[in-house]
Amino acid sequence: MQKIKVRKIGNSLGIILPKESGVTEGTELDYKKNGSIIELNLEDADKAHDRNLIEKSFEDFKYDKYYTEDQVAEKFAKYGWTK
């Protein structure tokens, strides 16, 4: 288990999460305290992030900016995308 230092931020306390946590600036996390255990839940933040990506991707259709299936297969083949 990795240790995280609690720091004073104004009149509050805060923690700095390591970059590897995948949490980005502005992300809102669900917080829950069970006895001496503090739980930070990313589930809703992940869903909101994914929803935002999907909505943003559909904006391109308004301007006829999209790829055909062949173009996607060619562009993303290195990531394992196939037709």
Side-chain angles (χ1 to χ4, degrees):
M1 181 180 292
Q2 188 175 0
K3 295 201 181 277
I4 297 174
K5 188 175 186 176
V6 178
R7 300 161 193 239
K8 184 168 176 56
I9 301 174
N11 291 329
S12 301
L13 298 174
I15 59 172
I16 305 297
L17 297 172
K19 193 178 218 176
E20 305 85 55
S21 70
V23 177
T24 57
E25 183 178 351
T27 301
E28 291 185 9
L29 306 175
D30 290 324
Y31 160 85
K32 183 179 180 182
K33 184 173 183 204
N34 286 327
S36 63
I37 296 175
I38 295 175
E39 180 181 308
L40 298 176
N41 188 328
L42 292 168
E43 187 174 355
D44 287 344
D46 287 343
K47 286 180 187 176
H49 175 263
D50 293 347
R51 185 179 306 112
N52 185 43
L53 284 177
I54 292 168
E55 289 175 1
K56 188 173 180 181
S57 70
F58 280 106
E59 288 178 5
D60 290 341
F61 284 98
K62 293 178 192 175
Y63 308 104
D64 291 328
K65 294 166 71 178
Y66 51 86
Y67 291 109
T68 65
E69 188 175 353
D70 289 334
Q71 289 171 319
V72 170
E74 182 181 328
K75 186 172 183 78
F76 298 104
K78 66 182 176 184
Y79 302 110
W81 187 287
T82 59
K83 202 171 149 183

